[in-house]
Amino acid sequence: MARGQLGGDLTALKEVRGFFEDRIAKWDSGKKEDLPKRDTEVIATAATLALQDALTTKKLHPLTRKALDRMWTLQQPNGAWDWLKCGWPPLEHDDYYGVVYVAVAVGHAPDDYAQEPQAKKGLDGFRKFFKNNPPPSLHHRAMLLWAAQKVPYLMTDRLKKSTIDELRTAQKKDGGWSLPMLGDWVGYDERPNDRTAPSDGYATGLVVYVLRQAGVPANDPAIERGVAWLNSNQRESGRWFTKSINTDRYHFITHAGTAYAVMALKACE
């Protein structure tokens, strides 16, 4: 999602994209080894490629469409999917994240994909799910705010405003945000959620990006302070570090955090 917006030599990006396109093309080969490993593979692949199409070519790739169409066949009656739940918040621990991530993607998918019959039916399932399941964290409410910019009737204007206000309130004195401030997480190692933790790349990048999508101007003081934090906290490696809220052994969230940081800076030019 992020790399394509930076320009330059996109060879590595094409290799990554090619991996997922190859997976989609083989799902129906009839070979056991080519089947999706779990529903989440279909959902995450379809949604991410749809978002990348929206952010780069502005055209829905045929294999992206194939993945999206297959995704709807896995949607459950309650509007959700069997998302990967392995005790790794915020991305891999509840079905809500899977639904809201797909809502973001389908809303942004090019070529008016959201108006196609299967997508419209799926969106009705989203609305049913969100009506019956309020966002369990400020993180997920931020994701819903992002989705609601393109998908009507996901949030009331009052809830949009209160979400923006709460995200503003969560900003730290140094201008950044921290992931522990966006939810009452119980991570993989069952450590206490440290709401005093320092600002990190994931939360700062995500919040700045979502606020920009929600119409908060780039010269808003909160946005400017967030951008200043991002400009001051990129590491020599090029990444923005985010400490895992799940374990001290792996900090995979740093990859997502770096992507959101890039997207946030791009959104603010």
Side-chain angles (χ1 to χ4, degrees), residues 96 125-135 144 153-154:
Y96 194 102
F126 291 161
R127 296 185 182 99
K128 175 183 177 181
F129 179 85
F130 291 134
K131 180 179 180 180
N132 295 328
N133 298 274
L144 186 62
Y153 312 117
L154 290 188

Side-chain angles (χ1 to χ4, degrees), residues 118-262:
Q118 66 272 37
K120 292 176 74 172
K121 181 179 178 181
L123 289 171
D124 287 341
F126 291 161
R127 296 185 182 99
K128 175 183 177 181
F129 179 85
F130 291 134
K131 180 179 180 180
N132 295 328
N133 298 274
S137 64
L138 181 57
H139 175 277
H140 286 11
R141 204 174 347 148
M143 294 292 296
L144 186 62
L145 179 64
W146 183 7
Q149 304 314 304
K150 295 291 186 179
V151 181
Y153 312 117
L154 290 188
M155 297 180 90
T156 63
D157 289 342
R158 181 176 180 179
L159 183 56
K160 290 177 183 177
K161 182 181 183 304
S162 67
T163 300
I164 292 172
D165 291 345
E166 197 166 338
L167 289 170
R168 288 180 180 277
T169 300
Q171 189 172 26
K172 291 183 169 291
K173 291 182 179 180
D174 64 1
W177 281 263
S178 74
L179 184 51
M181 284 290 291
L182 301 185
D184 294 321
W185 314 111
V186 177
Y188 186 80
D189 288 349
E190 298 185 351
R191 298 178 304 175
N193 188 56
D194 182 10
R195 295 179 71 86
T196 66
S199 299
D200 58 63
Y202 180 92
T204 306
L206 175 67
V207 172
V208 169
Y209 184 76
V210 169
L211 288 179
R212 289 289 292 126
Q213 303 314 298
V216 179
N219 63 355
D220 181 273
I223 298 291
E224 289 187 332
R225 291 174 60 219
V227 168
W229 187 93
L230 290 171
N231 283 331
S232 300
N233 286 275
Q234 186 178 22
R235 295 197 171 185
E236 187 175 353
S237 64
R239 68 181 178 173
W240 282 264
F241 181 74
T242 301
K243 180 180 173 64
S244 172
I245 56 176
N246 296 294
T247 181
D248 285 328
R249 291 173 291 166
Y250 315 108
H251 303 283
F252 300 133
I253 196 71
T254 290
H255 301 304
T258 298
Y260 278 130
V262 167

Side-chain angles (χ1 to χ4, degrees), residues 44 46 77 99 265:
V99 180
L265 291 174

